[in-house]
Amino acid sequence: MKIMMTGFEPFGGESMNPALEAVRRLPDWVAGAEIVKVELPTVYGRAGEVLEEAVRRELPDAVLCVGQAGGRSGILVERVAINLRDARIPDNGGRQPVDEAVREDGPAAYFSSVPVKRMVAAIREAGIPAFLSYSAGTFVCNDILYSLLHLIARERPAMKGGFIHVPYATEQTVDKPSGTPGMELGTIARALERAIGAVVEAMAEEIAEKRNK
């Protein structure tokens, strides 16, 4: 089994992105699955192009994209992607779309196809705060989740796809207002490993169930 993990480059004036750094810290194998790591640009449209190229090259069984959600206190497993680009700040290419569709030919929303509640439970069992989220926002994080699920719907229906938001890394909070939450990169990476494990376990059970029919 092959799992693709993606992380975004830094954006919004930050010198690092904890999503990318945590993905880089993952071992090459987790829960018996090969881990492929991909860096994505924080740019509307281009991120989806890079993802599609990587998927067609690697042919993973599942893709988990990871992004930064500064100000959050725990790991967020996203359940929904909406067909909307509405940027509070410009992306790294200088684009700041307002009320624009991610895909003109796409539905209003897609649901993640990974076991989101199981992932949250697995992360919490490791003593790491994690929550189910019903909004990935309208920035490039939502954009990539929607693009991924649109790709799955059009080309790779057997592939699973989802998105995880992570807090600021602890070192990012040094110059931020008092009380800004952060999490150690090692803890974020451990949470990602637990999430991967939940995905692998669920997919293995699904395969076994199909074989027994």
Side-chain angles (χ1 to χ4, degrees):
M1 191 176 296
K2 183 186 289 187
I3 309 293
M4 179 178 289
M5 301 294 296
T6 76
F8 286 106
E9 65 187 358
F11 69 95
E14 296 290 337
S15 61
M16 66 174 292
N17 190 318
L20 179 59
E21 297 305 319
V23 166
R24 285 173 172 167
R25 288 186 176 213
L26 292 172
D28 293 333
W29 292 84
V30 175
E34 180 184 1
I35 305 301
V36 178
K37 306 165 190 177
V38 176
E39 178 177 346
L40 298 179
T42 308
V43 178
Y44 283 106
R46 180 55 187 157
E49 292 171 357
V50 173
L51 176 66
E52 287 195 19
E53 291 166 5
V55 166
R56 291 177 180 136
R57 181 179 66 250
E58 299 290 345
L59 301 176
D61 298 288
V63 179
L64 288 178
C65 300
V66 188
Q68 171 189 289
R72 302 301 179 92
S73 61
I75 306 295
L76 300 178
V77 180
E78 301 295 344
R79 191 165 200 176
V80 184
I82 60 173
N83 194 5
L84 178 66
R85 294 171 172 170
D86 197 22
R88 177 182 57 84
I89 59 174
D91 67 10
N92 284 0
R95 288 197 60 214
Q96 192 172 0
V98 175
D99 295 337
E100 179 182 300
V102 179
R103 300 280 181 148
E104 292 291 348
D105 61 341
Y110 283 112
F111 286 102
S112 297
S113 52
V114 291
V116 292
K117 290 183 178 179
R118 191 167 185 162
M119 293 161 69
V120 169
I123 296 168
R124 287 181 172 179
E125 284 170 6
I128 303 168
F131 310 92
L132 189 59
S133 171
Y134 293 90
S135 174
T138 52
F139 196 52
V140 187
C141 289
N142 173 79
D143 205 68
I144 198 64
L145 177 57
Y146 189 94
S147 298
L148 169 61
L149 298 174
H150 191 64
L151 174 65
I152 290 171
R154 287 183 299 123
E155 296 183 18
R156 291 181 57 80
M159 188 175 77
K160 304 297 184 183
F163 192 96
I164 299 172
H165 264 123
V166 302
Y168 284 133
T170 303
E171 48 265 53
Q172 288 178 282
T173 67
V174 172
D175 296 320
K176 291 184 170 53
S178 176
T180 300
M183 187 177 286
E184 294 292 333
L185 278 172
T187 303
I188 295 174
R190 190 156 52 93
L192 296 183
E193 287 192 50
R194 297 287 296 189
I196 293 168
V199 171
V200 170
E201 187 177 60
M203 291 180 69
E205 289 175 1
E206 186 177 310
I207 292 169
E209 185 177 340
K210 288 179 180 178
R211 285 175 180 168
N212 292 332
K213 282 185 178 179

